[in-house]
């Protein structure tokens, strides 16, 4: 008995010891974290209440808001995940590598199932390739969407959003910053940042300068071409949504550095304006601020005596003439830090990023001309030849914070700030009929822009079928153009020969301009959605409301500075010498300062309120219809205070019902047909409603607003077929049509003096087009070409406008719309080099001949001519975690050309740009 008990005790002790050892081992086992998102494979929407379990264990969790899940203590090593939700086919993801003490991000797509089917098994690598990329967004969208992802941007030489977005089908970029979609002008494109509207930093246009957003800050750029009621009503051509990067699953940081050169600028003699302290950090406006004597909104009544005038002239920076200097190299630096860590006892996801760049750009072989009509034909009245130099600096930063309250509430705070400065100097020579003599013109201008966006967002999941999201957004822009200098020297004749002198007694010869624009916008929005019925074919109802208030203050004061009663021979002196010498009492001359009659300031206020309702209805398993309407009211008031003393107000108050019908038919797993019929609108910009004119230096245009403009209504129709042979491949064909009522056009108006540009409502217009797109790997055709992928998108368009009565009746009665190109072509080839992470990409882009401004009879329209743009990019890993990047842009040095009939109105070349960069990630 004792012996038996002894044996039993030994076995029990051994078992207890083994259990304790196993427990200790399990307790001490290294673990890592798995984070990710579960999405519906058809709609792309995040799925809540999905069970996520480590296969073969009881360790798991459920997905929460937006389909996101976290398993905080998963065993390190290679594991599998099993994902289940009622109404969806279960899926097991194998080969998930969990690093000890680290984190891995694993997203999963689920497909709906009418009956219970066997679990699908895929590898982690395959599953990561099928979630979250640009084609998945395009495939699962309700309407017609074209997207470009961070991965695609990283393989191209595109340094900012404006360069990246032009790879999208039907998208073109003008002046390297302004987006045109489907050949329509910038007024027909809205821009949002993380879904919140961005204001414009341009006083002349509604465009948001996308060159202010470095591509390193971006997750994706999506171009939505179909209106749905949950979008802004002034969506007319497209909505471009810039999405900033989200926080990574584990703490990480990255740095990048590049150095480059422009063949026409770097190390070459380039024209330069003065470089003041702060210029290279986009902080140079303060040193150029208007002097106190001229800072009172352009009111010169405070200059009562000659002493007052002399004092004001002495306060101006005595800088009138550009100088030649050596062109700087291009350089950039970026740093980012992101992760998810406990802060004050709560897990906070964060991403902080900062970028800085400086570049030197030039216009070489620059030609400008003004037209005349001779014997019924257009001819060259004036011709100017010269050059331009621009030094640009960009400083940008981003801080995005996210936290979860439980699993069904997510709060996010997104903050973005970007600042740019362009220091430009230009000079040209030609014969001017204003003086009937050869002349030399020069301009120095410094433009400083800033865009700020702060957005607080909340997302809430209520049960299995209801979701509520809201946002509060504050955004602002500023654009400062302090102390622009325009100067003219004229050729004088003397007994000893001719010379260029300064006609100081002419008010047109020397001008200083001070421009200041600030705009702030505050908005709040709420959206509620609920699903009904079978999870595989649900009815989705969505409603929401928006309230937005925008205020803009803009000032444009222009002063002529001149001198009379000067001693003989004074014109031989430079402008700097004249204003330094004769701004002193009793110096033998008299200074004068006068304001431009039509310059001045304006204030704009807009209150926009909107509400919408829409429902998504399934018809069987393959057809979905989304129908609804948006009601939008916009009250716009623009008050202009012109220097001449006139005060003019412009007011718009419209309430519009904007219906939308979108059909999606999924013929097979790989074939989708889309059709839509919608109505949208386009409102005039604040600047276009302000009858303030902006005078250019002698011989160039004047821009003037029109307080009588009205909003335009647009009816849209789209039809598109999409085919996705495999992951990452696409073939699509689409047609579109638009009918415009009262479209707003930019018109070049002839007059007895200098020509000027204004804006008018035409009677009607229409726009039709065909879009073709293809992305394909070449391995299916030839095994040796397995490493090659090609893509191409072509848009063919046609438009026609009916002018109607009014000022615009003087323009050509039959012509395309302003900015409408007959075709846009984007194509490229990507080669994956045999060593990991290496690739080479060649890209080509061309935009067809399009109207830049409508001419007035008998003058023909002004066209921007095609530019053949060829770019190249190379990426390959180097030492450690370092990647080397080589980029080449504008390899064909394609010139920018504006033509008016046989006359070249403007032409210049910008040179080829090359850069070499390093990026490092631990």
């Amino acid at each position: 008995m004792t012996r038996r008990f002894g044996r039993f005790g030994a076995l029990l002790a051994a078992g207890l010891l083994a259990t304790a050892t196993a427990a200790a081992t399990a307790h001490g086992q290294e673990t890592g974290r798995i984070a990710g998102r579960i999405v519906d494979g058809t709609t792309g929407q995040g799925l809540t209440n999905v069970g996520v379990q480590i296969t073969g264990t009881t360790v798991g969790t459920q997905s929460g808001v937006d389909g996101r899940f976290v398993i905080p203590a998963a065993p390190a090593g290679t594991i599998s995940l099993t994902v289940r939700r009622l109404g969806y086919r279960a899926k097991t993801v194998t080969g998930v590598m969990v690093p000890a003490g680290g984190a891995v991000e694993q997203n999963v797509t689920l497909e709906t199932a009418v009956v219970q089917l066997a679990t699908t098994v895929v590898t982690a690598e395959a599953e990561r390739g099928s979630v979250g990329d640009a084609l998945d967004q395009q495939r699962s969208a309700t309407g017609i969407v074209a997207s470009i992802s961070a991965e695609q941007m990283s393989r191209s030489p595109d340094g900012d959003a404006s360069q990246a977005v032009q790879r999208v089908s039907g998208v073109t970029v003008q002046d390297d910053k302004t987006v045109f979609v489907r050949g329509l002008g910038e007024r027909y494109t809205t821009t949002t940042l993380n879904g919140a509207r961005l204001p414009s930093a341009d006083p002349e246009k509604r465009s948001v300068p996308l060159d202010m957003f470095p591509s390193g800050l971006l997750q994706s750029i999506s171009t939505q071409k179909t209106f749905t009621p949950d979008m802004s009503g002034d969506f007319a051509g497209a909505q471009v949504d810039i999405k900033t990067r989200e926080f990574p699953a584990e703490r990480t940081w990255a740095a990048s550095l590049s150095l480059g050169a422009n063949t026409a600028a770097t190390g070459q003699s380039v024209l330069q304006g003065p470089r003041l302290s702060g210029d290279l950090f986009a902080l140079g406006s303060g040193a150029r601020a208007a002097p106190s004597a001229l800072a009172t909104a352009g009111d010169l009544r405070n200059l009562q005596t000659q002493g007052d005038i002399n004092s004001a002239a002495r306060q101006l920076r005595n800088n009138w003439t550009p100088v030649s200097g050596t062109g700087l190299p291009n350089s950039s630096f970026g740093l980012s830090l992101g992760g998810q860590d406990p802060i004050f006892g709560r897990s906070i996801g964060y991403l902080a990023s900062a970028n800085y760049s400086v570049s030197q750009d030039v216009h070489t072989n620059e030609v400008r001309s003004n037209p005349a009509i001779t014997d019924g034909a257009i001819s060259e009245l004036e011709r100017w030849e010269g050059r331009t130099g621009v030094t640009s600096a960009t400083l940008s930063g981003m801080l995005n914070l996210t936290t979860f309250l439980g699993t069904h509430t997510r709060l996010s705070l997104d903050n973005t700030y970007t600042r740019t400065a362009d220091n430009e100097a230009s000079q040209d020579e030609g014969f001017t009929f204003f003086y009937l003599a050869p002349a030399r013109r020069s301009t120095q201008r410094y433009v400083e822009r800033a865009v700020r966006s702060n957005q607080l967002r909340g997302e809430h999941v209520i049960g299995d079928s209801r979701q509520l999201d809201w946002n509060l957004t504050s955004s602002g822009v500023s654009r400062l153009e302090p102390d622009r200098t325009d100067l003219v020297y004229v050729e004088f004749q003397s007994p000893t020969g001719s010379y260029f002198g300064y006609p100081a007694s002419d008010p047109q010869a020397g001008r200083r301009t001070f421009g200041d624009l600030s705009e702030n916008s505050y908005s709040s929005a709420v959206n509620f959605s609920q699903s009904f019925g079978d999870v595989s074919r649900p009815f989705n109802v969505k409603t929401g409301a928006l309230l937005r208030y925008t205020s803009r203050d803009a000032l444009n004061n222009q002063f002529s500075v001149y001198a009379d009663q000067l001693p003989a021979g004074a014109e031989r002196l430079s402008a700097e010498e004249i204003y330094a010498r004769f701004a002193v009492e009793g110096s033998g001359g008299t200074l004068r300062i006068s304001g431009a009659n039509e310059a001045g300031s304006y204030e704009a206020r807009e209150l926009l309120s909107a509400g919408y309702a829409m429902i998504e209805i399934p018809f069987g398993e393959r057809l979905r219809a989304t129908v609804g309407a948006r009601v939008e009211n916009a009250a716009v008031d623009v008050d202009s205070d012109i220097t001449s003393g006139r005060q003019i107000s412009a007011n718009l108050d419209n309430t519009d019902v904007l219906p939308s019908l979108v059909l999606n038919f999924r013929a097979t797993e790989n074939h989708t047909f889309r059709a839509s019929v919608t109505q949208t609108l386009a409102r005039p910009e604040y600047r276009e409603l302000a009858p303030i004119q902006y005078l250019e230096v002698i011989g160039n245009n004047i821009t003037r607003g029109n307080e009588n403009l009205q909003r335009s209504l647009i009816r849209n129709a789209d039809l598109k077929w999409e085919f996705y042979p495999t992951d990452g491949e696409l073939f699509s064909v689409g047609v579109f049509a638009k009918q415009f009522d009262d479209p707003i056009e930019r018109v070049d108006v002839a007059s007895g003096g200098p020509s000027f540009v204004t804006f008018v409502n035409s009677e009607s217009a229409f726009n039709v087009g065909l879009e073709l797109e293809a992305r394909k790997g070449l391995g299916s055709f030839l095994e040796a070409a397995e490493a090659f992928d090609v893509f191409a998108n072509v848009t063919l368009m046609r438009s026609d406008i009916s002018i109607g009565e009014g000022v615009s009746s003087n323009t050509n009665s039959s012509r395309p719309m302003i900015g409408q190109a007959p075709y846009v072509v984007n194509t490229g080839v990507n080669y994956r080099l045999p060593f990991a992470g290496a690739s080479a990409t060649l890209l080509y882009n061309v935009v067809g001949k399009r109207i830049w401004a409508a001419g007035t009879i008998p003058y023909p329209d002004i066209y921007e001519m095609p530019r053949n743009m060829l770019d190249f990019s190379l990426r390959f890993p180097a030492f450690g975690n370092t990647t080397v990047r080589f980029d080449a842009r504008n390899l064909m040095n394609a010139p920018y050309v504006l033509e008016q009939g046989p006359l070249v109105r403007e032409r210049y070349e910008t040179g080829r740009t090359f850069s070499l960069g390093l990026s490092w990630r631990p």
Side-chain angles (χ1 to χ4, degrees):
M1 184 75 174
T2 303
R3 186 177 299 173
R4 284 183 194 168
F5 181 78
R7 286 194 197 132
F8 178 76
L11 290 172
L12 179 61
L16 291 174
L17 179 61
T19 302
T21 301
T25 301
H27 181 73
Q29 182 179 9
E30 292 185 304
T31 62
R33 187 162 58 91
I34 305 174
R37 185 169 178 248
I38 314 297
V39 299
D40 185 302
T42 301
T43 67
Q45 301 298 314
L47 296 174
T48 60
N49 299 319
V50 179
V52 184
Q53 186 176 7
I54 298 177
T55 308
T57 74
T58 59
V59 178
T61 187
Q62 279 196 324
S63 64
V65 63
D66 200 29
R68 298 189 179 275
F69 72 90
V70 176
I71 300 177
T78 304
I79 58 98
S80 297
L81 289 176
T82 299
V83 183
R84 293 186 178 90
R85 186 185 176 187
L86 184 65
Y88 289 84
R89 181 182 301 181
K91 178 179 281 189
T92 296
V93 182
T94 64
V96 180
M97 301 291 296
V98 181
V104 63
E105 184 172 349
Q106 182 62 60
N107 301 317
V108 182
T109 299
L110 291 184
E111 302 293 338
T112 57
V114 178
V115 295
Q116 188 64 38
L117 299 174
T119 301
T120 303
V121 179
V122 298
T123 66
E125 182 178 357
E127 187 67 8
R128 288 192 192 103
S130 66
V131 177
D133 61 20
L135 286 186
D136 280 333
Q137 296 180 40
Q138 186 167 328
R139 185 175 188 169
S140 60
T142 298
I144 297 174
V145 174
S147 299
I148 183 168
S149 66
E151 180 185 1
Q152 291 169 290
M153 285 185 273
S154 70
R155 293 203 306 258
S156 75
D158 302 328
D160 55 55
S162 72
Q163 296 171 1
V165 75
Q166 63 185 319
R167 312 298 177 189
V168 174
S169 176
V171 174
T172 62
V173 176
Q174 191 174 53
D175 301 329
D176 292 328
K177 63 185 70 172
T178 303
V179 174
F180 286 22
V181 180
R182 289 176 167 175
L184 298 173
E186 72 279 344
R187 74 173 66 256
Y188 300 111
T189 302
T190 61
T191 306
T192 58
L193 182 66
N194 297 320
R197 184 68 165 269
L198 275 176
S200 172
D202 192 323
E204 307 295 330
K205 306 174 184 178
R206 187 176 71 176
S207 64
V208 174
L210 298 184
D211 59 331
M212 299 182 69
F213 298 95
S215 57
L217 297 183
L218 308 180
Q219 180 65 34
S220 65
I221 304 175
S222 298
T223 304
Q224 171 68 261
K225 301 177 182 178
T226 302
F227 170 72
T228 53
D230 55 348
M231 302 172 65
S232 179
D234 58 353
F235 167 105
Q239 175 177 291
V240 177
D241 184 47
I242 304 170
K243 186 177 181 181
T244 55
R245 294 162 53 197
E246 292 189 345
F247 64 90
E250 62 177 333
R251 186 190 310 157
T252 184
W253 67 280
S256 62
L257 176 68
S258 72
L259 190 66
N262 183 311
T263 56
T266 307
Q268 306 293 322
S269 174
V270 300
L271 209 60
Q272 296 176 344
R275 292 178 178 173
L276 304 183
S277 61
D279 282 8
L280 290 181
F281 296 96
L283 295 170
S285 60
R288 297 174 169 88
S292 58
L294 299 176
T296 56
D299 187 352
L300 300 179
R301 288 173 295 182
N302 61 329
L303 305 182
Q304 297 292 326
T305 67
Q306 187 60 50
D308 294 334
I309 296 174
N310 289 356
S311 176
R314 285 197 301 271
Q315 289 181 34
L316 288 168
R317 292 184 308 114
N318 194 18
N319 175 265
W320 293 86
T321 310
V323 297
S324 293
T326 303
L328 298 173
N330 301 331
S331 60
S332 67
F333 175 75
L335 183 66
S336 64
L337 172 67
Q340 188 172 2
D341 290 303
I343 300 176
F344 300 117
R346 177 167 298 283
S347 180
I348 302 292
Y350 56 91
L351 178 65
S353 183
N355 288 266
Y356 172 75
S357 66
V358 62
S359 63
Q360 181 75 66
D361 299 306
V362 293
H363 295 172
T364 61
N365 301 318
E366 193 170 42
V367 175
R368 288 191 175 98
S369 65
N370 293 320
I373 297 295
T374 305
D375 297 328
I378 190 168
S379 61
E380 189 175 77
L381 176 67
E382 297 179 345
R383 178 182 177 88
W384 303 86
E385 297 182 1
R387 57 178 177 151
T388 297
V390 184
T391 304
S392 301
T394 300
L395 188 64
S396 61
M398 178 181 71
L399 176 61
N400 293 350
L401 304 172
T402 299
T403 189
F404 292 86
L405 305 179
T407 60
H408 287 66
T409 294
R410 178 171 70 168
L411 298 178
S412 301
L413 179 62
D414 298 335
N415 306 276
T416 303
Y417 183 78
T418 301
R419 189 175 194 90
T420 68
D422 298 319
N423 192 0
E424 175 183 328
S426 63
Q427 189 172 77
D428 54 22
E429 292 187 12
F431 186 89
T432 172
F433 277 84
F434 188 87
Y435 292 106
L436 295 176
R440 179 185 298 142
R441 309 182 306 184
S442 64
T443 296
Q444 298 177 81
R445 61 197 300 248
Y446 175 89
V447 179
E448 192 174 281
R449 301 173 296 173
V451 175
R452 167 194 59 82
S453 178
N454 309 99
Q455 184 182 60
L456 177 64
R457 294 181 291 157
E459 300 170 74
H460 311 273
V461 174
I462 307 169
D464 292 337
S465 60
R466 293 182 294 278
Q467 295 189 37
L468 175 71
D469 68 80
W470 53 268
N471 67 73
L472 300 173
T473 304
S474 171
S475 60
V477 300
S478 65
R479 183 187 186 276
L480 300 174
E481 187 177 359
D483 205 4
R484 167 178 169 156
T485 301
D486 292 310
L487 182 69
V488 177
Y489 281 86
V490 178
E491 185 177 84
F492 289 86
Q493 300 295 328
S494 73
T496 59
S498 62
Y499 63 93
F500 276 102
Y502 178 58
S505 60
D506 183 1
Q508 299 295 321
R511 292 201 299 267
R512 307 294 277 262
T513 304
F514 297 88
D516 190 346
L517 179 148
S518 63
E519 178 175 317
N520 290 285
S521 182
Y522 307 92
S523 68
S524 60
V526 61
N527 303 282
F528 176 78
S529 61
Q530 181 163 3
S531 299
F532 301 92
D534 190 340
V535 68
S536 63
R537 296 190 300 274
F539 289 78
N540 296 315
V541 177
K542 187 175 182 181
T543 60
L546 167 74
L547 184 66
R548 184 175 71 230
Y549 175 74
T550 304
S551 64
R552 173 186 284 189
D553 294 301
L555 170 69
N556 181 53
N557 281 333
Q558 191 169 77
F559 305 101
S560 293
V561 185
Y562 57 103
D564 55 17
Q565 300 178 18
L566 295 180
E571 71 277 356
R572 291 179 178 271
L573 301 174
S574 68
E576 285 85 355
E577 291 176 302
I578 288 176
Y579 294 123
R581 179 180 300 182
F582 298 111
V584 179
E585 290 294 334
S587 57
T590 304
L591 292 184
R592 301 285 185 234
I593 298 178
S594 63
N597 287 336
E598 300 300 319
S601 62
Y602 70 90
E603 296 180 354
R605 305 290 181 262
E606 179 181 10
L607 179 63
L608 185 141
S609 55
Y612 73 89
M614 54 190 288
I615 181 170
E616 182 181 321
I617 308 170
F619 294 94
E621 298 181 13
R622 302 189 180 278
L623 178 63
R624 290 183 294 144
T626 303
V627 60
R630 183 181 186 90
V631 179
E632 195 164 279
N633 173 263
V636 181
D637 298 300
V638 179
D639 297 319
S640 303
D641 189 357
I642 301 173
T643 303
S644 61
R646 291 192 300 152
Q647 295 182 336
I648 300 176
S649 295
N651 308 103
L652 292 177
D653 194 342
N654 299 106
T655 299
D656 296 286
V657 179
L658 306 172
S660 171
L661 172 63
V662 183
L663 300 176
N664 283 272
F665 179 68
R666 194 167 185 178
T668 69
E669 284 296 309
N670 298 326
H671 292 266
T672 300
F673 293 88
R674 306 181 192 273
S676 66
V677 180
T678 65
Q679 178 168 289
T680 56
L681 55 83
R683 300 184 183 92
E685 281 307 293
Y686 308 138
R687 172 63 181 87
E688 296 170 349
L689 288 166
I692 296 171
Q693 72 179 25
Y694 192 89
L695 294 171
E696 297 288 349
V697 71
I698 292 171
N700 284 340
N701 288 330
I702 300 167
T703 300
R704 181 183 299 160
N706 178 3
E707 67 274 21
N708 298 313
L709 290 176
Q710 301 297 316
R711 64 99 172 88
S712 309
L713 287 177
I714 304 106
R715 288 170 290 280
N716 316 277
D718 284 274
L719 180 64
K720 189 176 185 182
W721 165 73
E722 299 171 358
F723 172 46
Y724 301 86
T726 63
D727 286 339
E729 295 187 343
L730 164 69
F731 295 93
S732 71
V733 179
V735 293
F736 62 87
K738 296 178 182 293
Q739 176 68 43
F740 297 78
D741 292 339
D742 302 318
I744 300 170
E745 291 281 279
R746 183 180 190 269
V747 179
D748 192 33
V749 180
S751 66
S755 62
F756 70 91
V757 171
T758 190
F759 308 91
V760 296
N761 285 107
S762 296
E763 187 175 88
S764 63
F766 76 88
N767 166 264
V768 295
L770 171 69
E771 290 181 317
L772 307 170
E773 185 173 9
R775 293 180 181 272
K776 179 66 178 174
L778 299 184
S780 57
F781 301 110
L782 183 65
E783 185 175 351
E786 180 70 30
F788 287 90
D789 300 310
V790 296
F791 81 89
N793 59 69
V794 179
T795 305
L796 306 175
M797 297 161 288
R798 178 176 177 269
S799 67
D800 191 41
I801 189 165
S802 298
I803 304 302
E805 301 297 328
V807 175
S808 60
S809 63
N810 293 323
T811 69
N812 298 307
S813 58
S814 179
R815 60 170 173 80
M817 299 176 66
I818 302 267
Q820 172 71 72
Y823 63 85
V824 177
V825 177
N826 289 300
T827 186
V829 58
N830 181 65
Y831 174 58
R832 298 182 300 279
L833 298 173
F835 40 99
S839 67
T841 304
L842 186 67
L843 300 167
Y844 171 77
N845 166 265
V846 64
V847 179
K849 176 181 176 180
R850 56 184 172 181
I851 293 182
W852 181 82
T856 53
I857 296 173
Y859 291 88
D861 302 320
I862 303 173
Y863 280 88
E864 180 182 345
M865 305 306 289
R867 297 181 74 194
N868 294 288
M869 304 296 291
L870 187 65
D871 303 328
F872 175 75
S873 181
L874 176 66
R875 306 283 183 277
F876 58 90
F879 49 89
N881 295 316
T882 303
T883 300
V884 177
R885 170 175 180 161
F886 172 76
D887 294 326
R889 292 186 60 83
N890 192 21
L891 287 172
M892 301 173 71
N893 194 22
Y896 174 85
V897 181
L898 294 179
E899 290 186 359
Q900 189 171 25
L903 182 66
V904 175
R905 288 291 301 269
E906 186 173 356
R907 185 192 187 279
Y908 59 81
E909 297 168 2
T910 58
R912 300 170 178 87
T913 302
F914 301 92
S915 67
L916 183 66
L918 299 176
S919 59
W920 185 80
R921 185 185 300 270

